Amino acid sequence: MSIATLREVLKTGHDRGAIGAFSTYDLFTAQGIMNGAEKAGLPVIAMIGAPVLNKQGNEEIGRLMVRLADKAKVPVVVFLDHAKDFESCMKAIRLGFSAVMIDGSHLSFDENVQLTKKVVTVAKAVGVSVEGEIGALAGVEDGEGVVSSKMTNPDDVPRFADLTGVDALAISIGNAHGLYKGKPNLNFGILEKSAKLTQTPLVLHGGTGIEKKQFARAIDLGIKKVNIGTEVKCAFMDTFTKLHSENKEAYDLVGIPQAIKQAVAEVAEKDLKFFAEQWREYLK
Ligand code: 13P
């Protein structure tokens, strides 16, 4: 099975609920995400945030993701998450990524369209999918924080999709990056209206902490891709701190990374199965 584009997996996933996208930081999270997808027997999106890929030396993580995806037994989209500039997208494309997100949500509508369109033109020419965003999410992602959020105006959704030609579109309905304080308050009216106005698959960021019933409603209304970042980080850090504190003298840098890989695989397998099928049980 080779590396797949976002467009391809979103198409095959059309009658199968949504597809999970998981944040990657290193070899162990990359292998964990892909191992989990193989166990679930489902396609997966392995994403890396632009702030992570742009750290010195981290292009090697991108290369590694492409190599692992090429060898995976299920379709894997290698995805650049939340790039704010054209150059980061070009870097990912040169590394062999199959999808990029250009996030112009901090710009005016017209500037966002202009930047997104520029990325789409180049990406499409080389067979790479593009995700855009309208409306902005609050919270901290990959070390970069946004204080205020701006809900998506549903009327902007078809206009933005048509003007840019994106393959997927992230919307803001009260979802946030990082851990929620209390129960997330999602505006399903915005989602329902947006989904009715476009054929472009819609994306829900800030997946960690959203409740099963809320996911079910969101997928039923038209969400096709769900982003999970913090849950991956928690699996990594909690496994590391637990095992290290249990046997500090061992400084077990052989066994602990294997356990981290397993913990991340369990997250990916569980979430992928839920987004593909099990969400239906939570619709009532
Ligand atoms: P969480 O960290 O809240 O799961 O969000 C991840 C995300 O949306 C990455 O784009």
PDB file of all heavy atoms in Angstrom, residues 23 47 81-82 137 141 176-180 204-208 227-231 233, ligand 1:
ATOM      1  N   SER A  23      -1.344  13.781  15.316  1.00  0.00           N
ATOM      2  CA  SER A  23      -0.089  14.544  15.301  1.00  0.00           C
ATOM      3  C   SER A  23       1.106  13.645  15.556  1.00  0.00           C
ATOM      4  O   SER A  23       1.096  12.803  16.466  1.00  0.00           O
ATOM      5  CB  SER A  23      -0.122  15.642  16.359  1.00  0.00           C
ATOM      6  OG  SER A  23      -1.150  16.546  16.079  1.00  0.00           O
ATOM      7  N   MET A  47      -0.100  13.433  10.636  1.00  0.00           N
ATOM      8  CA  MET A  47       0.196  14.842  10.364  1.00  0.00           C
ATOM      9  C   MET A  47       1.328  15.336  11.259  1.00  0.00           C
ATOM     10  O   MET A  47       1.560  14.818  12.345  1.00  0.00           O
ATOM     11  CB  MET A  47      -1.049  15.701  10.523  1.00  0.00           C
ATOM     12  CG  MET A  47      -1.759  15.596  11.844  1.00  0.00           C
ATOM     13  SD  MET A  47      -3.293  16.544  11.829  1.00  0.00           S
ATOM     14  CE  MET A  47      -3.784  16.346  13.544  1.00  0.00           C
ATOM     15  N   ASP A  81       0.362  20.026   8.924  1.00  0.00           N
ATOM     16  CA  ASP A  81      -0.756  20.655   9.633  1.00  0.00           C
ATOM     17  C   ASP A  81      -0.438  22.129   9.933  1.00  0.00           C
ATOM     18  O   ASP A  81       0.682  22.465  10.349  1.00  0.00           O
ATOM     19  CB  ASP A  81      -0.981  19.873  10.947  1.00  0.00           C
ATOM     20  CG  ASP A  81      -2.339  20.137  11.558  1.00  0.00           C
ATOM     21  OD1 ASP A  81      -3.280  20.429  10.796  1.00  0.00           O
ATOM     22  OD2 ASP A  81      -2.457  20.024  12.797  1.00  0.00           O
ATOM     23  N   HIS A  82      -1.426  22.973   9.743  1.00  0.00           N
ATOM     24  CA  HIS A  82      -1.348  24.392  10.145  1.00  0.00           C
ATOM     25  C   HIS A  82      -0.121  25.155   9.647  1.00  0.00           C
ATOM     26  O   HIS A  82       0.534  25.848  10.425  1.00  0.00           O
ATOM     27  CB  HIS A  82      -1.410  24.525  11.677  1.00  0.00           C
ATOM     28  CG  HIS A  82      -2.782  24.291  12.220  1.00  0.00           C
ATOM     29  ND1 HIS A  82      -3.837  25.147  11.980  1.00  0.00           N
ATOM     30  CD2 HIS A  82      -3.272  23.286  12.975  1.00  0.00           C
ATOM     31  CE1 HIS A  82      -4.925  24.667  12.565  1.00  0.00           C
ATOM     32  NE2 HIS A  82      -4.618  23.537  13.172  1.00  0.00           N
ATOM     33  N   LEU A 137      -9.473  28.997  15.478  1.00  0.00           N
ATOM     34  CA  LEU A 137      -9.594  28.208  16.705  1.00  0.00           C
ATOM     35  C   LEU A 137      -8.732  28.802  17.806  1.00  0.00           C
ATOM     36  O   LEU A 137      -7.602  29.218  17.545  1.00  0.00           O
ATOM     37  CB  LEU A 137      -9.082  26.791  16.455  1.00  0.00           C
ATOM     38  CG  LEU A 137     -10.102  25.688  16.209  1.00  0.00           C
ATOM     39  CD1 LEU A 137     -10.810  25.948  14.903  1.00  0.00           C
ATOM     40  CD2 LEU A 137      -9.411  24.342  16.172  1.00  0.00           C
ATOM     41  N   GLU A 141      -1.354  24.915  20.043  1.00  0.00           N
ATOM     42  CA  GLU A 141      -1.047  23.737  19.241  1.00  0.00           C
ATOM     43  C   GLU A 141       0.420  23.785  18.849  1.00  0.00           C
ATOM     44  O   GLU A 141       0.864  24.761  18.262  1.00  0.00           O
ATOM     45  CB  GLU A 141      -1.951  23.708  18.001  1.00  0.00           C
ATOM     46  CG  GLU A 141      -1.818  22.453  17.165  1.00  0.00           C
ATOM     47  CD  GLU A 141      -2.205  21.184  17.908  1.00  0.00           C
ATOM     48  OE1 GLU A 141      -2.956  21.251  18.888  1.00  0.00           O
ATOM     49  OE2 GLU A 141      -1.708  20.114  17.524  1.00  0.00           O
ATOM     50  N   ALA A 176     -11.569  23.781  20.126  1.00  0.00           N
ATOM     51  CA  ALA A 176     -10.311  24.469  20.459  1.00  0.00           C
ATOM     52  C   ALA A 176      -9.176  23.464  20.539  1.00  0.00           C
ATOM     53  O   ALA A 176      -9.393  22.291  20.855  1.00  0.00           O
ATOM     54  CB  ALA A 176     -10.455  25.194  21.797  1.00  0.00           C
ATOM     55  N   HIS A 177      -7.971  23.936  20.283  1.00  0.00           N
ATOM     56  CA  HIS A 177      -6.781  23.083  20.424  1.00  0.00           C
ATOM     57  C   HIS A 177      -6.421  22.935  21.902  1.00  0.00           C
ATOM     58  O   HIS A 177      -6.633  23.852  22.693  1.00  0.00           O
ATOM     59  CB  HIS A 177      -5.592  23.716  19.694  1.00  0.00           C
ATOM     60  CG  HIS A 177      -5.717  23.673  18.202  1.00  0.00           C
ATOM     61  ND1 HIS A 177      -5.490  24.763  17.406  1.00  0.00           N
ATOM     62  CD2 HIS A 177      -6.019  22.652  17.355  1.00  0.00           C
ATOM     63  CE1 HIS A 177      -5.652  24.421  16.132  1.00  0.00           C
ATOM     64  NE2 HIS A 177      -5.975  23.151  16.066  1.00  0.00           N
ATOM     65  N   GLY A 178      -5.857  21.795  22.270  1.00  0.00           N
ATOM     66  CA  GLY A 178      -5.408  21.567  23.652  1.00  0.00           C
ATOM     67  C   GLY A 178      -6.537  21.018  24.506  1.00  0.00           C
ATOM     68  O   GLY A 178      -7.563  20.561  23.987  1.00  0.00           O
ATOM     69  N   LEU A 179      -6.354  21.053  25.834  1.00  0.00           N
ATOM     70  CA  LEU A 179      -7.364  20.487  26.741  1.00  0.00           C
ATOM     71  C   LEU A 179      -8.477  21.506  26.981  1.00  0.00           C
ATOM     72  O   LEU A 179      -8.198  22.680  27.225  1.00  0.00           O
ATOM     73  CB  LEU A 179      -6.710  20.087  28.066  1.00  0.00           C
ATOM     74  CG  LEU A 179      -5.695  18.935  27.984  1.00  0.00           C
ATOM     75  CD1 LEU A 179      -4.973  18.751  29.314  1.00  0.00           C
ATOM     76  CD2 LEU A 179      -6.368  17.626  27.562  1.00  0.00           C
ATOM     77  N   TYR A 180      -9.723  21.053  26.883  1.00  0.00           N
ATOM     78  CA  TYR A 180     -10.858  21.944  27.128  1.00  0.00           C
ATOM     79  C   TYR A 180     -11.005  22.166  28.627  1.00  0.00           C
ATOM     80  O   TYR A 180     -10.748  21.259  29.427  1.00  0.00           O
ATOM     81  CB  TYR A 180     -12.161  21.322  26.598  1.00  0.00           C
ATOM     82  CG  TYR A 180     -12.232  21.269  25.097  1.00  0.00           C
ATOM     83  CD1 TYR A 180     -11.718  20.184  24.392  1.00  0.00           C
ATOM     84  CD2 TYR A 180     -12.804  22.306  24.378  1.00  0.00           C
ATOM     85  CE1 TYR A 180     -11.777  20.130  23.010  1.00  0.00           C
ATOM     86  CE2 TYR A 180     -12.865  22.257  22.985  1.00  0.00           C
ATOM     87  CZ  TYR A 180     -12.353  21.171  22.313  1.00  0.00           C
ATOM     88  OH  TYR A 180     -12.407  21.133  20.951  1.00  0.00           O
ATOM     89  N   LEU A 204     -12.899  18.805  11.555  1.00  0.00           N
ATOM     90  CA  LEU A 204     -13.022  19.249  12.949  1.00  0.00           C
ATOM     91  C   LEU A 204     -11.655  19.152  13.625  1.00  0.00           C
ATOM     92  O   LEU A 204     -11.143  18.052  13.838  1.00  0.00           O
ATOM     93  CB  LEU A 204     -14.044  18.370  13.685  1.00  0.00           C
ATOM     94  CG  LEU A 204     -14.421  18.796  15.095  1.00  0.00           C
ATOM     95  CD1 LEU A 204     -15.174  20.132  15.102  1.00  0.00           C
ATOM     96  CD2 LEU A 204     -15.262  17.721  15.781  1.00  0.00           C
ATOM     97  N   HIS A 205     -11.081  20.294  13.945  1.00  0.00           N
ATOM     98  CA  HIS A 205      -9.818  20.319  14.698  1.00  0.00           C
ATOM     99  C   HIS A 205     -10.136  20.271  16.194  1.00  0.00           C
ATOM    100  O   HIS A 205     -11.284  20.348  16.593  1.00  0.00           O
ATOM    101  CB  HIS A 205      -9.053  21.608  14.371  1.00  0.00           C
ATOM    102  CG  HIS A 205      -8.355  21.568  13.047  1.00  0.00           C
ATOM    103  ND1 HIS A 205      -7.002  21.713  12.907  1.00  0.00           N
ATOM    104  CD2 HIS A 205      -8.826  21.375  11.799  1.00  0.00           C
ATOM    105  CE1 HIS A 205      -6.668  21.629  11.633  1.00  0.00           C
ATOM    106  NE2 HIS A 205      -7.762  21.429  10.926  1.00  0.00           N
ATOM    107  N   GLY A 206      -9.076  20.138  17.007  1.00  0.00           N
ATOM    108  CA  GLY A 206      -9.277  20.172  18.458  1.00  0.00           C
ATOM    109  C   GLY A 206     -10.063  18.980  18.964  1.00  0.00           C
ATOM    110  O   GLY A 206     -10.914  19.108  19.847  1.00  0.00           O
ATOM    111  N   GLY A 207      -9.754  17.793  18.420  1.00  0.00           N
ATOM    112  CA  GLY A 207     -10.549  16.599  18.748  1.00  0.00           C
ATOM    113  C   GLY A 207     -10.413  16.106  20.181  1.00  0.00           C
ATOM    114  O   GLY A 207     -11.369  15.549  20.740  1.00  0.00           O
ATOM    115  N   THR A 208      -9.263  16.321  20.810  1.00  0.00           N
ATOM    116  CA  THR A 208      -9.058  15.793  22.170  1.00  0.00           C
ATOM    117  C   THR A 208     -10.036  16.441  23.144  1.00  0.00           C
ATOM    118  O   THR A 208     -10.092  17.671  23.231  1.00  0.00           O
ATOM    119  CB  THR A 208      -7.612  16.074  22.645  1.00  0.00           C
ATOM    120  OG1 THR A 208      -6.715  15.532  21.691  1.00  0.00           O
ATOM    121  CG2 THR A 208      -7.356  15.462  24.016  1.00  0.00           C
ATOM    122  N   ASN A 227      -9.167  15.905  13.784  1.00  0.00           N
ATOM    123  CA  ASN A 227      -7.762  16.046  14.182  1.00  0.00           C
ATOM    124  C   ASN A 227      -7.568  15.755  15.667  1.00  0.00           C
ATOM    125  O   ASN A 227      -8.283  16.314  16.508  1.00  0.00           O
ATOM    126  CB  ASN A 227      -7.298  17.489  13.934  1.00  0.00           C
ATOM    127  CG  ASN A 227      -6.956  17.740  12.489  1.00  0.00           C
ATOM    128  OD1 ASN A 227      -7.371  17.002  11.607  1.00  0.00           O
ATOM    129  ND2 ASN A 227      -6.202  18.790  12.239  1.00  0.00           N
ATOM    130  N   ILE A 228      -6.583  14.912  15.955  1.00  0.00           N
ATOM    131  CA  ILE A 228      -6.258  14.557  17.336  1.00  0.00           C
ATOM    132  C   ILE A 228      -4.770  14.843  17.570  1.00  0.00           C
ATOM    133  O   ILE A 228      -3.906  14.238  16.924  1.00  0.00           O
ATOM    134  CB  ILE A 228      -6.516  13.049  17.600  1.00  0.00           C
ATOM    135  CG1 ILE A 228      -7.981  12.666  17.330  1.00  0.00           C
ATOM    136  CG2 ILE A 228      -6.081  12.647  19.008  1.00  0.00           C
ATOM    137  CD1 ILE A 228      -8.986  13.129  18.351  1.00  0.00           C
ATOM    138  N   GLY A 229      -4.477  15.747  18.477  1.00  0.00           N
ATOM    139  CA  GLY A 229      -3.081  16.069  18.788  1.00  0.00           C
ATOM    140  C   GLY A 229      -2.750  15.794  20.248  1.00  0.00           C
ATOM    141  O   GLY A 229      -1.888  14.967  20.580  1.00  0.00           O
ATOM    142  N   THR A 230      -3.483  16.462  21.134  1.00  0.00           N
ATOM    143  CA  THR A 230      -3.164  16.383  22.563  1.00  0.00           C
ATOM    144  C   THR A 230      -3.268  14.948  23.092  1.00  0.00           C
ATOM    145  O   THR A 230      -2.482  14.534  23.946  1.00  0.00           O
ATOM    146  CB  THR A 230      -4.087  17.341  23.353  1.00  0.00           C
ATOM    147  OG1 THR A 230      -3.928  18.655  22.784  1.00  0.00           O
ATOM    148  CG2 THR A 230      -3.728  17.391  24.825  1.00  0.00           C
ATOM    149  N   GLU A 231      -4.204  14.173  22.574  1.00  0.00           N
ATOM    150  CA  GLU A 231      -4.356  12.788  23.047  1.00  0.00           C
ATOM    151  C   GLU A 231      -3.094  11.977  22.747  1.00  0.00           C
ATOM    152  O   GLU A 231      -2.690  11.112  23.539  1.00  0.00           O
ATOM    153  CB  GLU A 231      -5.591  12.145  22.392  1.00  0.00           C
ATOM    154  CG  GLU A 231      -6.075  10.917  23.145  1.00  0.00           C
ATOM    155  CD  GLU A 231      -7.270  10.217  22.490  1.00  0.00           C
ATOM    156  OE1 GLU A 231      -7.772  10.699  21.460  1.00  0.00           O
ATOM    157  OE2 GLU A 231      -7.672   9.171  23.025  1.00  0.00           O
ATOM    158  N   LYS A 233      -0.046  13.325  22.539  1.00  0.00           N
ATOM    159  CA  LYS A 233       0.978  13.828  23.475  1.00  0.00           C
ATOM    160  C   LYS A 233       0.774  13.241  24.868  1.00  0.00           C
ATOM    161  O   LYS A 233       1.737  12.894  25.545  1.00  0.00           O
ATOM    162  CB  LYS A 233       0.914  15.357  23.541  1.00  0.00           C
ATOM    163  CG  LYS A 233       1.411  16.030  22.281  1.00  0.00           C
ATOM    164  CD  LYS A 233       1.589  17.516  22.475  1.00  0.00           C
ATOM    165  CE  LYS A 233       0.370  18.261  22.032  1.00  0.00           C
ATOM    166  NZ  LYS A 233       0.546  19.709  21.940  1.00  0.00           N
TER     167      LYS A 233
HETATM  168  P1  13P B   1      -6.044  18.658  19.907  1.00  0.00           P
HETATM  169  O1  13P B   1      -4.626  18.833  20.321  1.00  0.00           O
HETATM  170  O2  13P B   1      -6.970  19.500  20.735  1.00  0.00           O
HETATM  171  O3  13P B   1      -6.456  17.242  19.840  1.00  0.00           O
HETATM  172  O4  13P B   1      -6.174  19.263  18.424  1.00  0.00           O
HETATM  173  C1  13P B   1      -5.316  18.800  17.415  1.00  0.00           C
HETATM  174  C2  13P B   1      -5.506  19.546  16.167  1.00  0.00           C
HETATM  175  O5  13P B   1      -6.566  20.056  15.869  1.00  0.00           O
HETATM  176  C3  13P B   1      -4.342  19.643  15.252  1.00  0.00           C
HETATM  177  O6  13P B   1      -4.613  20.418  14.141  1.00  0.00           O
END
